[in-house]
Amino acid sequence: MGILSQLIFIPLVGMIVVMFLPKQNKWAVRWTTTFFAAIPCVQSLWLLVDYYYNHAGSHLMAYVEGPFDWVPALSVQYYLGADGISVPLLALTGLLSLISVVASFNIENRVKEYFAFFLLLEAGMMGVFVALDFFLFYVFWEIMLVPMYFLIGIWGGPRKEYAAIKFFLYTLFGSIFMLVSILILYFNSEPHTLNILTHIQQGSMLPYTLQMICFIFFFIAFAIKVPVWPFHTWLPDAHVEAPTAVSVILAAVLLKMGTYAMLRISWPMFPSALHDSAFYIALLGLIGIIYGALVSMAQKDLKKLVAYSSVSHMGFCMVALAAYNSEQAIAGCMYQMISHGLLTGALFLLVGVIYDRAHTREIAAFGGLGTKIPVYTAIMVFFAMGSLGLPGMSGFISEFMIFVGSFGVLEQKWIVGGAVLGVLLGAAYLLRMVQRVFLGPFDESRWGFLTEINLREILTVAPLMALTLWIGVYPKPFGLLMTQTLQNLISLMSR
């Protein structure tokens, strides 16, 4: 079995093992899950290093498994592959999954089911990033729905059922559009095939109307996952009600699937439709940036603030994706995907730390926490600075590349100007949060019992802190990793 298949099946095997453990032995369940999450984490990081040293000079799929006939009557094949855009996202998934498992050690209710669903979720996420057959891609895309629905619906907050059903219905609604597009492509190919790479080569030869229909349908499916305004309304509810670790995965990995799928599938597959839609995509991105930032500014709940900031930050990705023929912009989009995963994942972890102690996330309830829990404060301020785009951190690199790349290509320069305004608004709501929560007088009578962040909690955010700094200070290796793949994608999108 190749390494890509192992990334999918090891978490599945782990899920089965966990299900056979006695439910009373919670520590065995937790550590067994950690073991089965650690293996794909190590493998995906090794994949990143191996790709950098041995395959970064080529745009071809470096690791390919298949195609093997799976359902011959429908031309369904087991076909996996990874290149310069999927390898970094596999590493992000492996790392964040392991961190989220460790961060979930305080779960006490139905522990066995919780961790089993988590491993199933990881298998689905890994599958999406390596599938090269539409059937496989759709299966993995849908597999993630089930564990995410239960993780929010069972272990979530007071409105967990509402949030879980809303998330499920939204994503399923988008999936229906994706399925229709896949069927259109299948019946218009001769011989009928579900091979994504073949459709990328043949997609530009489809009649324009058909290209546009498929492009729009795929866009709706992927935009819901990003989420692009106005398809974002499921996100705040899901984030607020989900347990901490699920919020981390949701922000750090699941949102990236939408932008990844656009880059992998619909952008290079339908270049004519992309050319004619670029302005509207950029406009939606700009609205998302400004809207997300303004709504974040009005939030009273820490978790909601971070959730809406995701709508704003992913809007930068959409502006970059609209500038499809700029290597800088597309590379900036990839940087933003990784950076947002690190920063927002860490912010959700830290919000979970304070909620576990105080049992509230209301910003106005706090004040002066910096004097009581200085280590926690320093870490929180670090990630807030990274999220607002302070130079020397990953957020600055990604946003700067997006602005430079988009400005040189987009005809509507005012869209890029408006996007820059989003950085200012981001600084406003994040600094306001830091001022209200950590500065000012401290209420000893109410919060005197608060304890400092512990070692386990520090260990969950330490790798994210190191990567945030590394990408911010020395981004060159990540750029080299993706260059050839991005150049190939841009040539396909510019046909």
Side-chain angles (χ1 to χ4, degrees):
M1 183 183 289
I3 189 166
L4 301 183
S5 297
Q6 291 174 33
L7 289 174
I8 299 168
F9 286 104
I10 287 174
L12 284 179
V13 172
M15 182 191 77
I16 295 167
V17 173
V18 165
M19 289 304 291
F20 278 100
L21 292 173
K23 66 179 181 182
Q24 297 84 358
N25 196 342
K26 295 178 181 177
W27 279 104
V29 171
R30 289 169 182 144
W31 283 107
T32 303
T33 307
T34 306
F35 174 74
F36 281 102
I39 297 173
C41 175
V42 172
Q43 286 179 311
S44 60
L45 293 175
W46 176 86
L47 214 59
L48 192 70
V49 175
D50 184 65
Y51 187 89
Y52 177 75
Y53 284 108
N54 299 316
H55 305 286
S58 168
H59 68 273
L60 301 174
M61 289 282 168
Y63 312 94
V64 178
E65 295 173 24
F68 305 115
D69 284 341
W70 182 16
V71 187
L74 294 174
S75 304
V76 175
Q77 296 174 318
Y78 182 81
Y79 190 18
L80 308 178
D83 61 3
I85 62 167
S86 41
V87 166
L89 293 171
L90 287 172
L92 184 74
T93 307
L95 178 64
L96 265 300
S97 296
L98 178 60
I99 286 174
S100 299
V101 166
V102 175
S104 301
F105 271 30
N106 56 354
I107 293 286
E108 292 291 342
N109 176 37
R110 302 175 71 172
V111 175
K112 189 166 81 168
E113 292 92 331
Y114 176 89
F115 284 102
F117 277 131
F118 222 103
L119 288 169
L120 178 60
L121 181 64
E122 182 177 5
M125 294 187 294
M126 290 290 190
V128 165
F129 290 130
V130 296
L132 293 181
D133 182 277
F134 268 128
F135 188 87
L136 261 187
F137 182 85
Y138 189 80
V139 166
F140 287 127
W141 189 275
E142 294 302 296
I143 276 180
M144 292 179 307
L145 271 182
V146 178
M148 188 54 84
Y149 171 79
F150 286 112
L151 285 168
I152 298 173
I154 296 176
W155 291 273
R159 297 170 68 241
K160 55 193 177 188
E161 291 92 353
Y162 168 77
I165 289 172
K166 192 173 181 181
F167 164 78
F168 194 91
L169 288 179
Y170 258 80
T171 312
L172 191 65
F173 175 76
S175 300
I176 290 168
F177 283 94
M178 177 167 40
L179 184 60
V180 172
S181 280
I182 291 172
L183 290 174
I184 291 173
L185 290 172
Y186 177 77
F187 286 112
N188 280 278
S189 57
E190 192 57 49
H192 298 327
T193 180
L194 291 165
N195 187 312
I196 291 175
L197 299 183
T198 303
H199 280 294
I200 287 175
Q201 295 302 327
Q202 298 178 355
S204 60
M205 292 183 275
L206 284 174
Y208 178 80
T209 307
L210 214 52
Q211 272 198 55
M212 186 55 87
I213 290 171
C214 290
F215 182 82
I216 292 172
F217 281 13
F218 272 127
F219 182 80
I220 293 171
F222 302 149
I224 288 173
K225 199 71 106 184
V226 173
V228 177
W229 183 92
F231 304 106
H232 67 285
T233 58
W234 63 270
L235 182 80
D237 291 311
H239 269 311
V240 170
E241 299 305 323
T244 297
V246 177
S247 290
V248 172
I249 286 294
L250 196 57
V253 182
L254 256 70
L255 305 190
K256 311 301 170 300
M257 289 179 180
T259 42
Y260 168 80
M262 289 173 183
L263 263 181
R264 168 67 69 215
I265 296 174
S266 50
W267 260 231
M269 199 173 285
F270 311 110
S272 301
L274 172 62
H275 303 168
D276 293 346
S277 309
F279 166 69
Y280 303 102
I281 294 165
L283 186 62
L284 289 177
L286 175 62
I287 294 172
I289 291 169
I290 303 297
Y291 169 83
L294 290 176
V295 177
S296 292
M297 206 174 288
Q299 291 310 308
K300 298 175 180 174
D301 184 304
L302 261 178
K303 209 173 183 185
K304 264 194 173 179
L305 183 150
V306 181
Y308 274 108
S309 76
S310 292
V311 177
S312 183
H313 284 125
M314 293 309 288
F316 289 114
C317 286
M318 296 312 298
V319 172
L321 287 171
Y324 57 88
N325 47 359
S326 164
E327 187 182 335
Q328 279 176 325
I330 301 297
C333 174
M334 284 298 300
Y335 273 104
Q336 179 73 349
M337 288 158 70
I338 302 293
S339 172
H340 179 262
L342 301 174
L343 293 167
T344 310
L347 285 173
F348 275 121
L349 283 169
L350 292 169
V351 171
V353 168
I354 198 71
Y355 183 74
D356 285 344
R357 289 156 174 74
H359 304 294
T360 180
R361 297 185 299 258
E362 190 182 346
I363 294 172
F366 299 110
L369 293 189
T371 58
K372 178 67 180 176
I373 44 176
V375 177
Y376 174 84
T377 302
I379 297 172
M380 188 70 162
V381 170
F382 173 89
F383 284 110
M385 294 297 118
S387 192
L388 63 83
L390 193 73
M393 298 190 191
S394 57
F396 174 76
I397 292 293
S398 55
E399 289 169 7
F400 190 77
M401 290 180 75
I402 288 172
F403 295 145
V404 172
S406 306
F407 193 82
V409 169
L410 287 178
E411 292 179 11
Q412 300 81 14
K413 310 293 184 194
W414 58 270
I415 289 183
V416 184
V420 175
L421 184 63
V423 177
L424 185 65
L425 293 172
Y429 67 74
L430 284 164
L431 290 175
R432 174 176 163 273
M433 180 274 289
V434 169
Q435 181 246 320
R436 297 185 67 181
V437 175
F438 300 106
L439 305 180
F442 176 66
D443 187 348
E444 183 68 34
S445 62
R446 187 174 184 188
W447 301 120
F449 67 89
L450 285 182
T451 53
E452 187 58 275
I453 186 169
N454 62 38
L455 180 62
R456 178 180 64 84
E457 291 159 343
I458 290 176
L459 288 176
T460 58
V461 293
L464 307 181
M465 190 180 273
L467 285 169
T468 299
L469 272 179
W470 184 22
I471 295 174
V473 174
Y474 189 53
K476 184 179 173 183
F478 289 89
L480 291 175
L481 196 77
M482 300 179 287
T483 300
Q484 293 298 321
T485 304
L486 293 183
Q487 286 176 356
N488 180 53
L489 281 173
I490 289 166
S491 67
L492 289 168
M493 292 187 285
S494 304
R495 284 179 288 176

